[in-house]
Amino acid sequence: MNDTLAGWLQITVLIAALALTYRPLGDYMARILTTTRHLAVEKGLYRLGGVDAEADQQWGAYLRSVLAFSAVSVVFLYGFQRLQNHLLLSLGFAPVKPDQAFNTAASFVTNTNWQSYSGEVTMGHLVQMAGLAVQNFVSAAVGIAVVAALIRGFTRRRTDRVGNFWVDLTRIVVRLLVPMAFVFAIVLVAMGAVQNFHGIHEIGTLVGDKQSLTGGPVASQEVIKELGTNGGGFYNANSAHPFENPGGTSNLLEIYLLLVISFSLPRTFGKMVGDHRQGYAILAVMGLIWAASVALITVNELHSVSSTAGHSAGGMLEGKEQRFGIWASALFAASTTLTSTGAVNSFHDSFSPGGGGMTIFNMMLGEIAPGGTGSGLYGILILAIIAVFVAGLMVGRTPEYLGKKLGAREMKFASLYILATPAIVLIGTGAAMSLKGERASMLNSGPHGFSEVLYAFTSAANNNGSAFAGIGVNTHWYNTALGLAMLFGRFLPMIFVLALAGSLARQQPVPVTAGTLPTHRPQFVGLLTGVIVIVVGLTYFPALALGPLAEGLH
């Protein structure tokens, strides 16, 4: 089978698998978020935490719960790393230094999983399992909980209640993430992924040298890192490492896992608002952008004219695993940067200017196609509100979305959401480029070096976590600056989303009239797609022009 046929076949199989999962998983998540029944294990957790499971929260209380839980998580994970030499299964590793421990704690709690360290030589097994992997579960659940609150804002009327964060968090972890991770971890182990408690072993190589291999609970962490759109690898090579990603079949499974929840959430949205057509419209926009990104990255890597060697070889093969080749590497790169996953099976720094530029642009879109677990859906719903507002301006009507009027208050929250992340990205990049010592961390000069810095702050602020690499970020300044970018990039947008949810929930729905914009038709799909591209293009085009566009033209 030639590479082109194999490439098309894996894309077809992936789309078919996602299509088969869309309805049952989406409906199941809707039941989780709307049922009034509590499982026995959930009741026990509520009693331990002193949670009144029947009490709905105002949006402010919901937000305070999110922030308090996340703040405690950061402190706990920071302390876990600093004390790891006193813990079991530490493998003899020293405590993680303070700035790197802060960066890592902020990273995993915000669902970013940016790593300025090599996992196999820095973190012991207990820190990996009970610290990092636990945050993979709960940070993913936080994103889904926040979008559930926003959807309730659309469905509820004349109330100031948007749900109970502690109930949402518990149900999502217990009923969704843990069962799915358990099943697929077994599948990954069957495919050859490592799952043990071995330490570091030295083996002899064929040429007589010695090589150190680190075992560990890899498969269990690999599954939730993809399923929860986290991305932090047990090993420095991430999903390019054969212990994490043994072959082509496991690679396709991991791409499926990092997309499946986010691509099924539009069904959940449609179910909860009582109109599946609304979910299909959102899904169509996500699918169009995802397909376009996969196509553009694949074409750039197969037919790059910017590299004589790459053109002669029939594709940009440097930095790509030969087990996967160009098609699977491009598919993984597009999917991981369009979600907030950040896992990699190839070296994005080695991509062509066009392919590497697309990975940056994917994150700049806000990772909404399909985006992170929960964060992708609430991001595209904010953009849908912007699109409805633009359409309202064109016809001179007060915009409405799903029966709720979008007045000045609602548009302020939506606008602040749109502006928050680009401000963090551009301010962070500008600060790094203005400091001589931080410019010295770039391993490349010119537009490519600028792209490395731009990628780092784009990845951090959008809670992606992948890296262009080619830049030394394990410094006091970068660990602190990127850690702050992750925290602000995660929680500032959540503040505006939950405030918007509260504002919408207080409204009385307005009836549909002849002048109401239909938001389930192809015209709206096109409008929303155009708004997404134009808003992002206008925001980031100058920065892209200095980086990947300049490099491609050169």
Side-chain angles (χ1 to χ4, degrees):
M1 185 184 298
N2 63 47
D3 289 346
T4 301
L5 179 58
W8 278 111
L9 182 60
Q10 68 181 350
I11 292 174
T12 303
V13 170
L14 176 63
I15 293 174
L18 291 170
L20 288 172
T21 312
Y22 174 76
R23 182 168 181 170
L25 182 58
D27 288 349
Y28 176 64
M29 289 189 287
R31 288 196 297 273
I32 290 174
L33 297 171
T34 56
T35 183
T36 57
R37 178 174 170 267
H38 306 293
L39 301 180
V41 64
E42 295 168 352
K43 292 178 181 178
L45 292 172
Y46 300 149
R47 282 195 294 269
L48 285 174
V51 173
D52 181 0
E54 306 304 326
D56 268 3
Q57 296 173 311
Q58 297 176 331
W59 78 265
Y62 201 102
L63 173 63
R64 288 193 296 273
S65 298
V66 171
L67 297 179
F69 177 75
S70 301
V72 171
S73 297
V74 169
V75 173
F76 172 80
L77 191 52
Y78 176 85
F80 218 19
Q81 295 172 81
R82 295 290 293 143
L83 297 172
Q84 83 160 340
N85 59 314
H86 300 295
L87 303 175
L88 297 173
L89 302 175
S90 68
L91 306 183
F93 293 147
V96 181
K97 62 182 183 178
D99 58 300
Q100 193 171 54
F102 163 73
N103 180 277
T104 304
S107 177
F108 278 77
V109 171
T110 59
N111 201 243
T112 310
N113 293 42
W114 172 274
Q115 294 172 290
S116 63
Y117 61 90
S118 299
E120 62 266 48
V121 296
T122 307
M123 302 293 181
H125 291 342
L126 190 62
V127 174
Q128 293 263 28
M129 287 189 305
L132 306 184
V134 167
Q135 288 304 316
N136 286 349
F137 282 95
V138 295
S139 65
V142 167
I144 300 175
V146 171
V147 79
L150 177 60
I151 296 173
R152 293 184 190 114
F154 285 112
T155 60
R156 296 184 176 183
R157 60 183 66 191
R158 294 198 175 279
T159 180
D160 56 359
R161 311 287 167 163
V162 294
N164 188 312
F165 168 73
W166 305 107
V167 172
D168 290 339
L169 178 73
T170 304
R171 286 179 175 177
I172 294 163
V173 172
V174 171
R175 302 191 193 187
L176 177 68
L177 297 177
V178 169
M180 289 187 71
F182 181 81
V183 171
F184 284 108
I186 295 174
V187 174
L188 261 189
V189 170
M191 290 180 174
V194 170
Q195 183 73 16
N196 56 47
F197 290 104
H198 294 171
I200 301 173
H201 289 273
E202 283 194 348
I203 62 171
T205 65
L206 293 175
V207 296
D209 292 332
K210 290 186 177 181
Q211 182 177 354
S212 296
L213 294 178
T214 304
V218 178
S220 56
Q221 185 164 326
E222 184 72 12
V223 166
I224 190 57
K225 98 173 188 189
E226 311 292 9
L227 188 64
T229 61
N230 297 281
F234 193 94
Y235 298 100
N236 188 45
N238 207 277
S239 292
H241 198 292
F243 286 1
E244 291 193 24
N245 193 358
T249 306
S250 66
N251 185 70
L252 188 59
L253 174 64
E254 292 187 13
I255 298 173
Y256 166 79
L257 289 175
L258 65 88
L259 293 170
V260 65
I261 290 179
S262 296
F263 260 132
S264 298
L265 276 170
R267 173 74 182 188
T268 304
F269 167 65
K271 184 85 171 176
M272 290 178 69
V273 299
D275 187 353
H276 289 303
R277 298 174 302 174
Q278 302 294 337
Y280 287 126
I282 296 298
L283 177 67
V285 177
M286 289 178 170
L288 284 171
I289 295 173
W290 177 82
S293 176
V294 170
L296 288 170
I297 293 178
T298 303
V299 168
N300 271 282
E301 297 311 295
L302 285 172
H303 306 292
S304 175
V305 296
S306 61
S307 166
T308 303
H311 187 64
S312 301
M316 300 290 287
L317 292 168
E318 191 225 350
K320 296 181 177 66
E321 267 289 310
Q322 295 304 303
R323 292 175 297 142
F324 308 135
I326 290 175
W327 281 82
S329 299
L331 179 60
F332 202 115
S335 300
T336 197
T337 51
L338 277 170
T339 60
S340 67
T341 311
V344 293
N345 75 345
S346 57
F347 202 50
H348 292 182
D349 193 45
S350 296
F351 277 39
S352 65
M358 273 305 302
T359 62
I360 301 176
F361 189 70
N362 287 344
M363 294 184 292
M364 289 176 171
L365 286 175
E367 297 172 323
I368 41 78
T373 51
S375 61
L377 181 57
Y378 66 64
I380 202 169
L381 289 177
I382 294 292
L383 285 162
I385 288 171
I386 299 291
V388 170
F389 179 73
V390 170
L393 291 178
M394 292 179 179
V395 298
R397 280 183 55 89
T398 301
E400 305 164 8
Y401 187 48
L402 301 179
K404 296 297 180 76
K405 285 188 175 292
L406 304 176
R409 180 182 176 84
E410 289 76 23
M411 293 314 302
K412 286 176 183 176
F413 290 138
S415 299
L416 288 170
Y417 178 97
I418 296 297
L419 294 172
T421 304
I424 297 167
V425 172
L426 298 176
I427 291 172
T429 303
M433 294 303 296
S434 67
L435 299 173
K436 183 178 180 180
E438 309 320 318
R439 290 199 304 272
S441 295
M442 300 188 313
L443 304 184
N444 294 278
S445 60
H448 192 80
F450 176 78
S451 294
E452 292 169 352
V453 177
L454 179 63
Y455 193 111
F457 279 96
T458 303
S459 178
N462 285 280
N463 302 132
N464 183 272
S466 64
F468 224 34
I471 179 173
V473 293
N474 190 17
T475 66
H476 291 290
W477 192 88
Y478 268 114
N479 277 330
T480 304
L482 292 173
L484 292 173
M486 295 176 216
L487 291 170
F488 286 120
R490 175 72 164 178
F491 297 114
L492 271 181
M494 281 187 176
I495 292 172
F496 303 132
V497 169
L498 290 172
L500 178 62
S503 180
L504 293 171
R506 282 194 293 268
Q507 292 187 28
Q508 175 70 25
V510 295
V512 176
T513 66
T516 301
L517 173 69
T519 54
H520 59 274
R521 295 179 180 173
Q523 295 94 324
F524 183 72
V525 171
L527 173 65
L528 178 53
T529 304
V531 166
I532 291 169
V533 174
I534 292 171
V535 167
V536 172
L538 291 176
T539 303
Y540 287 108
F541 183 79
L544 289 170
L546 293 173
L549 293 179
E551 183 182 1
L553 292 173
H554 177 72

